[in-house]
Every structure is written in C-alpha cells, then in structure tokens.
Amino acid sequence: MPPKFDPNEIKVVYLRCTGGEVGATSALAPKIGPLGLSPKKVGDDIAKATGDWKGLRITIQLTIQNRQAQIQVVPSASALVIKALKEPPRDRKKQKNIKHTGSITFDEVLSIARQMRHRSLARELSGTVKEILGTAQSIGCNIDGKHPHSVIEEINDGRVECPAVSVAITVYCTDLPCIVYKVTHISLYFQQE
C-alpha cells in the first residue's frame, strides 16, 4: 500500500525545456504524473512562465506543494549571453546550427556574472567573469568587438579591472569584544554595544 499523501511536503523537479513553447506531455508525464499533477496544465503554465525566453533552451524548477506547481526559470550562462545579444526569436525547427555573431558589452558580462555568482565555483567575481567569457567564446559572440579570449588575457594581465564583491554583515553582541574576521571576499564585523 502506498504511503499517505502529505499536503505539506515540498517536491522540487528540474526540467529542460524550450522557452515559450508547450513541451511534449509525454516527457512531462513520468516526472510529474506520480505527484498528482496534470502534464497538459503544467505544460501550458511552463509555456506562459517562460515567454521571455522564447526559443532558448532553459532549465526550469518546479516547486510542487499540495498539488500546486510554482514555476521558476533557472537560466544558464549560455542562455543569459544569448539573451544579452538581443537576437530576434527564431523557429528552432526551421533554422538549425545558428551562429551567434553579435557583440555584447563588458558591463553586460559583469551583470551576467553577478547573476551566476551563486552557481559559480570561482573564489572571486573575476573568476566568474572568466567563466562567462568562456561561454561567450563557445557561443561565438564578441565582447565590445574583441574576441572573448583576449579579454580573459587582459583580466589576467590586470589591464581590465573586475570589481571586487564584498558583503559586510554587522552583528551586535553584548558579550564579545570587537573582532574583525575576513574570509576571502566576505567581511564580517563584530562590534560590542
């Protein structure tokens, strides 16, 4: 006998889909059917929630609680770079092997790196910027008219400066003396009141 249905239990399902399109219900059914959801209804909700990413392959996160699905887009670095190119949406069935030959600014690369910072394994923001530049190189676009690898070399040489990310958290304690503790790029300050 199967276990009882718990309405407070939260299940998280990750799916790859094309933005703005209703996916095949045959692909959705094995993943969300056992959770008591209708694949056709969820497919329509996914198409509505991913309308901004029309024609791009993206990952979505379905958070399911009490037979209600909340859809959240989890964009990859390549999807963010292609979206920054501002190319018109294409029909993926008619046009194959698309070349993305546009150019984006270094400020757009920095904003993409800040969005992807929590998923990056780099210690500093400059490492995340280099990851995004590598993605731009594999896509085939340029950064301010220059090849992405030359921008990576400029960052390594120090000719291009990446801003440092620092987060200051202030904690007021009554029992501790004033301590300053620094961990890579996060500074914590403890002050005695």
Side-chain angles (χ1 to χ4, degrees), residues 165-171 181 185-190:
V165 175
S166 63
V167 177
I169 301 171
T170 306
V171 179
Y181 184 63
H185 62 279
I186 299 175
S187 301
L188 302 174
Y189 300 99
F190 297 97

Side-chain angles (χ1 to χ4, degrees), residues 16 52-58 75-90 97-104 108-109 112 115-116 132 135-143:
R16 286 281 285 169
D52 295 343
W53 302 87
K54 193 165 181 63
L56 297 175
R57 292 284 293 167
I58 52 169
S76 62
S78 59
L80 287 168
V81 169
I82 293 171
K83 190 174 181 184
L85 286 170
K86 296 176 181 71
E87 294 178 340
R90 297 181 174 122
N97 300 327
I98 300 165
K99 299 280 187 234
H100 304 283
T101 57
S103 182
I104 60 175
E108 288 175 317
V109 172
I112 292 170
Q115 280 181 285
M116 297 295 293
I132 302 302
T135 303
Q137 180 177 347
S138 68
I139 287 172
C141 67
N142 292 329
I143 311 301

Side-chain angles (χ1 to χ4, degrees), residues 68-172:
Q68 297 294 317
Q70 293 178 339
I71 299 160
Q72 183 179 359
V73 177
V74 184
S76 62
S78 59
L80 287 168
V81 169
I82 293 171
K83 190 174 181 184
L85 286 170
K86 296 176 181 71
E87 294 178 340
R90 297 181 174 122
D91 187 9
R92 66 186 181 97
K93 293 181 179 135
K94 292 179 183 169
Q95 293 178 322
K96 303 281 183 185
N97 300 327
I98 300 165
K99 299 280 187 234
H100 304 283
T101 57
S103 182
I104 60 175
T105 64
F106 189 71
D107 292 334
E108 288 175 317
V109 172
L110 282 175
S111 68
I112 292 170
R114 286 191 181 104
Q115 280 181 285
M116 297 295 293
R117 183 73 186 111
H118 67 284
R119 292 173 62 188
S120 172
L121 295 177
R123 278 193 294 169
E124 297 175 3
L125 182 66
S126 62
T128 309
V129 168
K130 291 178 199 173
E131 289 176 2
I132 302 302
L133 289 170
T135 303
Q137 180 177 347
S138 68
I139 287 172
C141 67
N142 292 329
I143 311 301
D144 292 326
K146 294 187 275 189
H147 194 268
H149 199 76
S150 63
V151 179
I152 291 173
E153 289 171 356
E154 289 176 3
I155 291 172
N156 290 338
D157 295 342
R159 287 180 279 171
V160 173
E161 192 69 32
C162 290
V165 175
S166 63
V167 177
I169 301 171
T170 306
V171 179
Y172 295 101

Side-chain angles (χ1 to χ4, degrees), residues 59-76:
T59 305
I60 57 163
Q61 174 186 342
L62 291 174
T63 307
I64 300 164
Q65 181 179 19
N66 199 14
R67 293 192 182 157
Q68 297 294 317
Q70 293 178 339
I71 299 160
Q72 183 179 359
V73 177
V74 184
S76 62

